Amino acid sequence: MRIRTVTVTPVAFPDPALLNSAGVHQPWALRAIVQLDCGDGLTGLGETYGDAAHLALLRTVAPLLVGLDPFHTNELTRRITEALGAADAPDRHGLTGGTGPEKTALKVLSPFEVACLDLQGRITGRPVADLLGGRVRDEVPYSAYLFYKWAGHPGAAEDDWGPALDPDGIVAQARRMVDRYGFGSLKLKGGVFPPELEIEAIRALRAAFPEHPLRLDPNAAWTVDTSRAVAAGTEGLLEYLEDPTPGIPGMAEVARDAPMPLATNMCVVAPADLAPGFGAGAVGVVLADHHYWGGLRRSAELAAICRTWGVGVSMHSNSHLGISLAAMTHLGAALPELSYAADTHTPWQLGTDVVAEPLPIVDGAVRVPEGPGLGVELDPDALARLHEDYLRCGIRERDDTAYRQQFEPDFRRRRPRW
């Protein structure tokens, strides 16, 4: 069995005006769908970022994978890393930490590795979770992902979620998330307003949801001193504080005094960060993201390293579709080390997807698909529609800062801001 064709399709789908420390989400989110076709109706699926620089690298390596045995993922890795060399494709938004050739290569590898695992599962008749060692749970818990947000994109109608710009708005958003999806934990994307206002929102969430674990993620918007003050001010309220300040040294300073674990998807983001990050005691939780850790098997290796260091594991999310949700669910099902509910943006997509039957979130969890491979099938008509949206939308790079500056010319991305 060999890969005959490799198809990379960029897509776009509507995204609400979600605020963060870098700016605000654009009206369209970009993704790329990877298909590895082995003939006889066997096609493996992967999903990744859709920014132009990343797409160019995906298309550079795609022809090199023709003829590859989908079980030979070591050879897959060799071909990709040799082809990319010192290539680097940094993210404009900067919300997933630093970049470099190592991280770039792993980002390019990831969707092809996932698609190979999907193929392996389809060929053997086994779910991907079995290929990762077998499931240790039948359902993977996810956390509600709360955002400060505008009522809608400027010039457009109010979206289905409406505004959330104060504690009452955040609590109302959380209530709707919990009522609709049954989430058992809540995460607030911070770094938008002065820290004391975001502490008020956390306190309002605690009052409204006394039993729900809470998290706050300002995307490194605070200085070390501000981070210490927020950590002290939220003692007993947060299960973890995520990336309060930039860099491993700053995180280590905060971690020494913080009464809760510090989590990260910004300062430990590639293998080279593990020894300095863990050695300095900078983080207590790593948000493993298979999209930039090189796929599912490398994410499982990351979790094992975290176990060795006594570091907790969750999973990070960016705006994504159902192939990524399926991959995350199989990974979470096979990770004994998964100690916190994973992030997901799925509710913000309001049902838009490229898979024929999107995986439902019930009681805050996604049940592991029973079918072979990832257990989801591509909807070709939906893929074609979302590709047409990509061609029409005019967005080719995610740039939260430049988009916000269209409406607030004085806005600047600063890290730290407070």
Side-chain angles (χ1 to χ4, degrees), residues 298-310 313 335 337:
R298 278 174 172 73
S299 296
E301 292 171 359
L302 168 65
I305 295 169
C306 288
R307 181 183 68 239
T308 300
W309 283 85
V313 176
L335 288 187
E337 299 88 359

mmCIF file of all heavy atoms in Angstrom, residues 298-310 313 335 337:
data_model
loop_
_atom_site.group_PDB
_atom_site.id
_atom_site.type_symbol
_atom_site.label_atom_id
_atom_site.label_comp_id
_atom_site.label_asym_id
_atom_site.label_seq_id
_atom_site.Cartn_x
_atom_site.Cartn_y
_atom_site.Cartn_z
ATOM 1 N N ARG A 298 4.252 12.088 18.545
ATOM 2 C CA ARG A 298 5.178 12.969 19.255
ATOM 3 C C ARG A 298 4.490 13.658 20.433
ATOM 4 O O ARG A 298 5.133 13.939 21.447
ATOM 5 C CB ARG A 298 5.767 13.992 18.283
ATOM 6 C CG ARG A 298 6.929 13.431 17.489
ATOM 7 C CD ARG A 298 7.419 14.385 16.419
ATOM 8 N NE ARG A 298 8.651 13.880 15.808
ATOM 9 C CZ ARG A 298 8.714 12.866 14.978
ATOM 10 N NH1 ARG A 298 7.589 12.241 14.637
ATOM 11 N NH2 ARG A 298 9.861 12.451 14.474
ATOM 12 N N SER A 299 3.209 13.911 20.310
ATOM 13 C CA SER A 299 2.481 14.472 21.451
ATOM 14 C C SER A 299 2.384 13.461 22.587
ATOM 15 O O SER A 299 2.452 13.833 23.767
ATOM 16 C CB SER A 299 1.087 14.919 21.006
ATOM 17 O OG SER A 299 1.172 15.973 20.064
ATOM 18 N N ALA A 300 2.234 12.192 22.241
ATOM 19 C CA ALA A 300 2.255 11.149 23.270
ATOM 20 C C ALA A 300 3.626 11.058 23.927
ATOM 21 O O ALA A 300 3.741 10.860 25.148
ATOM 22 C CB ALA A 300 1.851 9.802 22.668
ATOM 23 N N GLU A 301 4.690 11.219 23.134
ATOM 24 C CA GLU A 301 6.043 11.254 23.708
ATOM 25 C C GLU A 301 6.198 12.451 24.642
ATOM 26 O O GLU A 301 6.800 12.344 25.718
ATOM 27 C CB GLU A 301 7.076 11.337 22.591
ATOM 28 C CG GLU A 301 7.179 10.078 21.738
ATOM 29 C CD GLU A 301 8.065 10.275 20.518
ATOM 30 O OE1 GLU A 301 8.587 11.404 20.339
ATOM 31 O OE2 GLU A 301 8.242 9.315 19.751
ATOM 32 N N LEU A 302 5.664 13.593 24.240
ATOM 33 C CA LEU A 302 5.698 14.782 25.093
ATOM 34 C C LEU A 302 5.009 14.507 26.419
ATOM 35 O O LEU A 302 5.525 14.871 27.489
ATOM 36 C CB LEU A 302 5.027 15.949 24.368
ATOM 37 C CG LEU A 302 4.725 17.190 25.205
ATOM 38 C CD1 LEU A 302 6.010 17.848 25.699
ATOM 39 C CD2 LEU A 302 3.886 18.186 24.393
ATOM 40 N N ALA A 303 3.847 13.864 26.370
ATOM 41 C CA ALA A 303 3.123 13.561 27.604
ATOM 42 C C ALA A 303 3.942 12.654 28.518
ATOM 43 O O ALA A 303 3.939 12.834 29.747
ATOM 44 C CB ALA A 303 1.779 12.909 27.270
ATOM 45 N N ALA A 304 4.655 11.691 27.940
ATOM 46 C CA ALA A 304 5.492 10.805 28.761
ATOM 47 C C ALA A 304 6.631 11.576 29.421
ATOM 48 O O ALA A 304 6.976 11.330 30.589
ATOM 49 C CB ALA A 304 6.049 9.672 27.903
ATOM 50 N N ILE A 305 7.208 12.536 28.697
ATOM 51 C CA ILE A 305 8.256 13.374 29.287
ATOM 52 C C ILE A 305 7.679 14.210 30.424
ATOM 53 O O ILE A 305 8.303 14.372 31.486
ATOM 54 C CB ILE A 305 8.893 14.269 28.207
ATOM 55 C CG1 ILE A 305 9.628 13.396 27.186
ATOM 56 C CG2 ILE A 305 9.845 15.285 28.820
ATOM 57 C CD1 ILE A 305 10.066 14.148 25.941
ATOM 58 N N CYS A 306 6.473 14.739 30.214
ATOM 59 C CA CYS A 306 5.818 15.502 31.277
ATOM 60 C C CYS A 306 5.610 14.638 32.522
ATOM 61 O O CYS A 306 5.818 15.096 33.655
ATOM 62 C CB CYS A 306 4.463 16.039 30.778
ATOM 63 S SG CYS A 306 4.576 17.374 29.577
ATOM 64 N N ARG A 307 5.210 13.396 32.319
ATOM 65 C CA ARG A 307 5.023 12.489 33.458
ATOM 66 C C ARG A 307 6.326 12.320 34.227
ATOM 67 O O ARG A 307 6.338 12.348 35.457
ATOM 68 C CB ARG A 307 4.521 11.137 32.960
ATOM 69 C CG ARG A 307 4.273 10.130 34.089
ATOM 70 C CD ARG A 307 3.834 8.779 33.558
ATOM 71 N NE ARG A 307 4.906 8.095 32.834
ATOM 72 C CZ ARG A 307 4.847 7.713 31.573
ATOM 73 N NH1 ARG A 307 3.787 7.962 30.839
ATOM 74 N NH2 ARG A 307 5.871 7.083 31.008
ATOM 75 N N THR A 308 7.428 12.174 33.509
ATOM 76 C CA THR A 308 8.727 11.999 34.150
ATOM 77 C C THR A 308 9.079 13.195 35.027
ATOM 78 O O THR A 308 9.650 13.044 36.109
ATOM 79 C CB THR A 308 9.817 11.790 33.078
ATOM 80 O OG1 THR A 308 9.499 10.618 32.317
ATOM 81 C CG2 THR A 308 11.182 11.626 33.707
ATOM 82 N N TRP A 309 8.725 14.400 34.561
ATOM 83 C CA TRP A 309 9.043 15.622 35.296
ATOM 84 C C TRP A 309 7.951 16.016 36.296
ATOM 85 O O TRP A 309 8.085 17.035 36.980
ATOM 86 C CB TRP A 309 9.259 16.772 34.314
ATOM 87 C CG TRP A 309 10.593 16.727 33.637
ATOM 88 C CD1 TRP A 309 10.931 16.037 32.517
ATOM 89 C CD2 TRP A 309 11.775 17.421 34.046
ATOM 90 N NE1 TRP A 309 12.255 16.249 32.202
ATOM 91 C CE2 TRP A 309 12.796 17.097 33.114
ATOM 92 C CE3 TRP A 309 12.075 18.296 35.096
ATOM 93 C CZ2 TRP A 309 14.084 17.613 33.211
ATOM 94 C CZ3 TRP A 309 13.353 18.811 35.186
ATOM 95 C CH2 TRP A 309 14.354 18.465 34.254
ATOM 96 N N GLY A 310 6.864 15.253 36.355
ATOM 97 C CA GLY A 310 5.772 15.606 37.255
ATOM 98 C C GLY A 310 4.977 16.802 36.780
ATOM 99 O O GLY A 310 4.407 17.548 37.592
ATOM 100 N N VAL A 313 -0.697 17.606 31.966
ATOM 101 C CA VAL A 313 -0.910 17.668 30.519
ATOM 102 C C VAL A 313 -2.354 18.045 30.223
ATOM 103 O O VAL A 313 -3.294 17.496 30.813
ATOM 104 C CB VAL A 313 -0.590 16.312 29.847
ATOM 105 C CG1 VAL A 313 -0.920 16.356 28.351
ATOM 106 C CG2 VAL A 313 0.876 15.941 30.053
ATOM 107 N N LEU A 335 -3.991 8.900 26.191
ATOM 108 C CA LEU A 335 -2.988 9.497 27.065
ATOM 109 C C LEU A 335 -3.345 9.283 28.538
ATOM 110 O O LEU A 335 -4.221 9.963 29.073
ATOM 111 C CB LEU A 335 -2.873 11.009 26.811
ATOM 112 C CG LEU A 335 -2.218 11.487 25.522
ATOM 113 C CD1 LEU A 335 -2.061 12.999 25.570
ATOM 114 C CD2 LEU A 335 -0.878 10.816 25.293
ATOM 115 N N GLU A 337 -1.640 10.366 30.793
ATOM 116 C CA GLU A 337 -1.144 11.580 31.455
ATOM 117 C C GLU A 337 -2.103 12.755 31.334
ATOM 118 O O GLU A 337 -1.865 13.807 31.950
ATOM 119 C CB GLU A 337 0.204 11.993 30.840
ATOM 120 C CG GLU A 337 1.296 10.952 31.000
ATOM 121 C CD GLU A 337 1.302 9.929 29.870
ATOM 122 O OE1 GLU A 337 0.436 10.015 28.970
ATOM 123 O OE2 GLU A 337 2.171 9.032 29.902
#
